[in-house]
Amino acid sequence: MRPLALRLFSVSALATVWVLLWGRVTVPNIIMGVVVAVVITVLLPVPPVPVQGRVHPVALVKLIGLFSWYLVESSIQLMWLAIRPGPPPLTGVLRVPMSIKSDLVLVLASSITTLIPGSMVLEIDQVRRILYCHVIDVGSAKAVERFYHQAAQVERLLIAAFERDEEWLPVGGTA
């Protein structure tokens, strides 16, 4: 039942993207979107990603709230850096170690980090669980510490939402 539900979700998500790309919600666009989505999922199947544990809604809501706050806060900081007088801010690449176990959640962490204005994940070291992030404004210890604090909060909430230790099983299914 779960594989069928995931397949239906994939087809509906791809069809929605198709309709959004065309910019008009019409019956032919919806039908063509479903046809294209089915063709894509049949001809180009994605290997299954091992998903474990449960989603914890309270932690997920906190994560979404924190992410929304960081979007606003970082946008204001970037705006100030762009219009303030003086030289441009110092940029740099920072290494962020993660204790996230799941590859899927690690990619989610990198996506959230990239979506927050002022930072972008350049590389994911999957084996050592390290994100290499390009960060705007590393000119002071306070700015660097603020970035590391943001990354730690996102990591903590991702673990709370998706991979609590008591629910985690290594790939293969047994502890």
Side-chain angles (χ1 to χ4, degrees), residues 41-138:
T41 57
V42 170
L43 294 180
L44 304 169
V46 178
V49 177
V51 178
Q52 301 168 353
R54 299 183 341 210
V55 175
H56 297 274
V58 174
L60 184 60
V61 168
K62 287 179 184 179
L63 176 65
I64 292 168
L66 181 73
F67 174 64
S68 300
W69 170 253
Y70 282 156
L71 282 177
V72 172
E73 180 185 46
S74 297
S75 296
I76 292 169
Q77 289 170 351
L78 277 181
M79 178 190 67
W80 172 246
L81 290 172
I83 64 172
R84 74 182 169 115
L90 182 65
T91 63
V93 177
L94 299 178
R95 187 172 57 181
V96 182
M98 293 276 168
S99 59
I100 292 172
K101 297 175 185 93
S102 164
D103 289 343
L104 185 62
V105 178
L106 185 63
V107 169
L108 186 57
S110 72
S111 298
I112 290 172
T113 303
T114 296
L115 288 171
I116 295 172
S119 61
M120 181 173 69
V121 175
L122 300 174
E123 183 179 347
I124 302 172
D125 184 338
Q126 182 182 7
V127 174
R128 294 186 295 167
R129 299 297 200 222
I130 297 174
L131 301 179
Y132 293 92
C133 303
H134 180 269
V135 180
I136 295 177
D137 190 21
V138 294

Side-chain angles (χ1 to χ4, degrees), residues 142-154:
K142 182 179 177 184
V144 171
E145 185 59 37
R146 182 174 51 240
F147 172 75
Y148 280 125
H149 178 71
Q150 279 183 341
Q153 279 189 306
V154 168

